[in-house]
Amino acid sequence: MRKCLAVAFLVLAGCSTEQGQPPAKPVYDLPAREVRPDETALHLPPALNGETEFSLIGLAAGLPSLTGSHAEFEAKGQFVRLRLVVTGKGVSGILFDTRRQQLVTDSGAVIAVDNQAMTIKRQPDKFELGRGVRVEFDLYFDLPKEAKPVVLRAFGGPTLTDMKNLTGTDIKLG
């Protein structure tokens, strides 16, 4: 009888849910940062395009002008700034092009990144995004005054299986 109880105890102990769960993976402790005064924090799930992960973390709309280190630049309509984190998820590096990203408005208009605004604010153009590398930067768009940004059409870099990467991934802003 004791032998049966011991076997039953061992079987039940082996069925414990604690033993069936893998240990939690370690994570980096990244400190929280304050959102910039003219910006709204975005709490959206990351999105993938090819082997690039996109995390939108901030949005500022209705900016009438931008000031850089050597110039002030007026918007034709309104500047919209998106704070973005891109992460390389592939097995090799990709050439990431910030200027390929597009903003879609509530009327369906597709707006390209404003090259002059990006230059004035000294944001990156093209860069090598290595495996596991995270890069955080701003994208600037010049929208008509009455337009509302609703979607970022995100384009990762070319991959080994998709050398042109013509299809973007739409990320809703709210």
Side-chain angles (χ1 to χ4, degrees):
M1 178 69 169
R2 284 186 176 192
K3 199 175 202 178
C4 287
L5 286 174
V7 169
F9 176 76
L10 289 173
V11 168
L12 288 174
C15 293
S16 168
T17 57
E18 289 178 16
Q19 289 184 358
Q21 294 178 345
K25 292 184 178 183
V27 297
Y28 294 112
D29 292 325
L30 299 175
R33 297 184 322 250
E34 283 188 27
V35 176
R36 293 176 278 189
D38 58 355
E39 193 170 70
T40 300
L42 298 176
H43 304 281
L44 304 172
L48 279 174
N49 180 255
E51 296 174 346
T52 307
E53 181 181 81
F54 293 83
S55 297
L56 291 171
I57 62 172
L59 169 67
L63 305 173
S65 64
L66 301 174
T67 303
S69 60
H70 294 90
E72 185 170 342
F73 186 53
E74 297 291 323
K76 292 176 188 143
Q78 62 166 312
F79 284 116
V80 171
R81 181 184 69 225
L82 282 174
R83 189 73 175 164
L84 178 65
V85 178
V86 293
T87 306
K89 293 292 190 176
V91 295
S92 62
I94 59 164
L95 182 60
F96 186 84
D97 186 354
T98 60
R99 304 312 203 258
R100 283 190 73 199
Q101 313 315 306
Q102 301 171 339
L103 196 59
V104 181
T105 69
D106 55 344
S107 69
V110 178
I111 310 293
V113 168
D114 190 286
N115 290 324
Q116 197 165 5
M118 293 287 285
T119 300
I120 288 170
K121 295 307 273 185
R122 300 185 187 271
Q123 295 304 297
D125 185 11
K126 293 179 183 173
F127 56 89
E128 184 75 20
L129 184 63
R131 178 182 181 167
V133 172
R134 294 170 39 105
V135 178
E136 183 175 326
F137 57 92
D138 291 320
L139 294 173
Y140 287 89
F141 302 89
D142 194 345
L143 276 63
K145 279 188 180 180
E146 68 284 350
K148 292 184 177 150
V150 293
V151 168
L152 173 67
R153 185 158 295 142
F155 292 88
T159 66
L160 295 174
T161 58
D162 183 3
M163 292 307 290
K164 293 182 183 173
N165 192 10
L166 299 176
T167 307
T169 296
D170 285 356
I171 306 169
K172 292 182 181 177
L173 302 179

